[in-house]
Amino acid sequence: MNTFYKTKLCSIMAENNVDAMLIAPGEELEFILGHTTHICERFQALFIKQNGDYFYVCNLLTTDEISEYMDGHKVYSWFDGDGYMQTLKKALEENDLVGKTIAVNSTERAFIILDIMQNNDVKFINGKPLLEKMKICKTKDEIENLKIAARITDETYYEILKFVKAGMQEKDVIDFIKSEFTRKGADFGFAIVACGKNSALPHYNDDKSVIQENDIVLCDFGCIYNGLCADMTRTFFVGSATEEQKKMYDYVLRGQIAGVEKAVSGAFVPDIDKVTRDIIAESGYGHTFMTRLGHGIGYSLHEAPDIKQSNPMYLEPNMTFSIEPGIYRVGEFGIRIEDIVLTTENGNETLNNSTKELIIVNN
């Protein structure tokens, strides 16, 4: 159990009049408990009470596995032949949660929650914002690991520029990124490599296209270092770039720099989005910038805070997030530039330091 974050979560629950948090298997369970299990139709979850006590409810097939991570805290087991509801009722009664408010994490399924509500006197609320608040401000050690992850990703970009050439598949570049991360002592996080028209698809999810001479190449990628994620996007050209592409690149770059400069401690998030979006709109292709400006990052690739118009919050020190505007001209090309930004007491710091200049490779 991650006692540091459990204590933070309990404090947040108290501030929000929440009596317990239900955390089903997934990334959030692994983060707080140090372990997650296979999720299936059988109900199982960790319950953390506002006072810091915790217990687990699961099927017999998972009991021994989970017990190793519970530090002696109770595991309520149920048998397939009986179903889970009676065991859950007993757990709720013994832990004084009948008639109480329980927050639910992002991986629990609706059919489970509906069944529990029909058979128990409990009130469920969305627990995702509470779990996000728990992690939104990073510790000194987490920041150091984020910086190392960003540095390794920066270094890998320069290796990519030396490696890429016409005739390669996108997959070849992804495999190269994986090998570079391993060589540099990091784990592979993710990689999107989109060439030509594929670059206009913000979350392109294939790797089979061949890079052509005079192609645009968008690389969105990041490693994981000591559990902390990196995320960076650079767009470059193989052979040459058209004047129109160069012009669009300049709009995205100016917008990205303006967003980074605006994203300081105390800044109002919609203002950050606006200053960038206004510059992209000058290109005449503002309507193609259909994504949020950025997302938080830490132990998860995407977490709070979202940098977007509809998030009326003010940034605080030690938050980390991306600033990644883009122009996506479907059927033609796309351009995105992305850095991770850390808010500090006196402003901010950009964790990615690889060049954002327009690069044309001729390997």
Side-chain angles (χ1 to χ4, degrees), residues 151-334:
R151 175 178 56 76
I152 291 171
T153 303
D154 278 335
E155 292 171 355
T156 300
Y157 175 57
Y158 290 114
E159 300 299 327
I160 292 169
L161 294 176
K162 292 185 284 186
F163 173 78
V164 170
K165 61 183 177 182
M168 288 181 173
Q169 276 191 312
E170 294 160 332
K171 183 180 185 300
D172 296 327
V173 184
I174 293 172
D175 289 342
F176 177 78
I177 291 170
K178 290 178 179 179
S179 66
E180 282 298 298
F181 285 162
T182 299
R183 189 174 70 83
K184 296 177 188 298
D187 295 320
F188 176 70
F190 79 102
I192 297 170
V193 176
C195 66
K197 296 178 182 179
N198 299 335
S199 61
L201 306 174
H203 278 185
Y204 174 65
N205 189 32
D206 206 344
D207 60 6
K208 299 178 180 62
S209 293
V210 175
I211 298 169
Q212 306 292 331
E213 190 69 29
N214 304 321
D215 246 350
I216 190 169
V217 180
L218 185 154
C219 287
D220 184 351
F221 62 110
C223 69
I224 300 172
Y225 187 82
N226 283 346
L228 278 299
C229 300
D231 187 4
M232 182 180 80
T233 306
R234 294 292 185 264
T235 306
F236 60 92
F237 301 84
V238 176
S240 67
T242 68
E243 291 305 311
E244 181 69 2
Q245 288 171 333
K246 291 177 181 178
K247 185 168 68 172
M248 294 298 107
Y249 191 96
D250 183 63
Y251 280 114
V252 175
L253 179 59
R254 289 195 292 114
Q256 203 269 346
I257 291 171
V260 169
E261 291 177 347
K262 191 76 171 176
V264 298
S265 293
F268 187 52
V269 167
D271 291 343
I272 305 168
D273 184 278
K274 185 177 187 304
V275 72
T276 298
R277 212 166 287 274
D278 285 350
I279 292 172
I280 301 297
E282 295 173 10
S283 71
Y285 290 91
H287 62 284
T288 73
F289 178 22
M290 77 291 286
T291 68
R292 61 192 172 189
L293 176 59
H295 58 81
I297 191 169
Y299 289 99
S300 301
L301 183 63
H302 290 175
E303 58 184 51
D306 278 346
I307 309 301
K308 60 184 182 181
Q309 294 165 319
S310 58
N311 184 15
M313 69 173 288
Y314 292 87
L315 296 180
E316 299 174 20
N318 302 323
M319 292 180 175
T320 49
F321 48 86
S322 66
I323 297 293
E324 49 178 307
I327 290 173
Y328 305 100
R329 292 169 54 165
V330 177
E332 298 180 74
F333 61 87

Side-chain angles (χ1 to χ4, degrees), residues 50-118:
Q50 188 192 111
N51 66 6
D53 290 342
Y54 58 97
F55 62 93
Y56 204 100
V57 180
C58 65
N59 188 272
L60 281 168
L61 64 85
T62 317
T63 301
D64 292 339
E65 176 187 352
I66 285 295
S67 295
E68 295 182 19
Y69 295 88
M70 289 295 290
D71 297 327
H73 289 255
K74 188 160 185 177
V75 178
Y76 294 84
S77 303
W78 59 275
F79 171 55
D80 276 342
D82 299 326
Y84 72 88
M85 199 61 70
Q86 284 304 119
T87 301
L88 177 60
K89 279 179 178 289
K90 178 183 177 182
L92 294 175
E93 289 170 358
E94 290 187 355
N95 287 276
D96 193 29
L97 290 177
V98 176
K100 300 298 178 63
T101 299
I102 301 176
V104 182
N105 82 315
S106 62
T107 55
E108 189 54 277
R109 282 73 49 82
F111 74 89
I112 293 282
I113 295 302
L114 291 171
D115 282 349
I116 296 173
M117 287 173 60
Q118 288 172 0

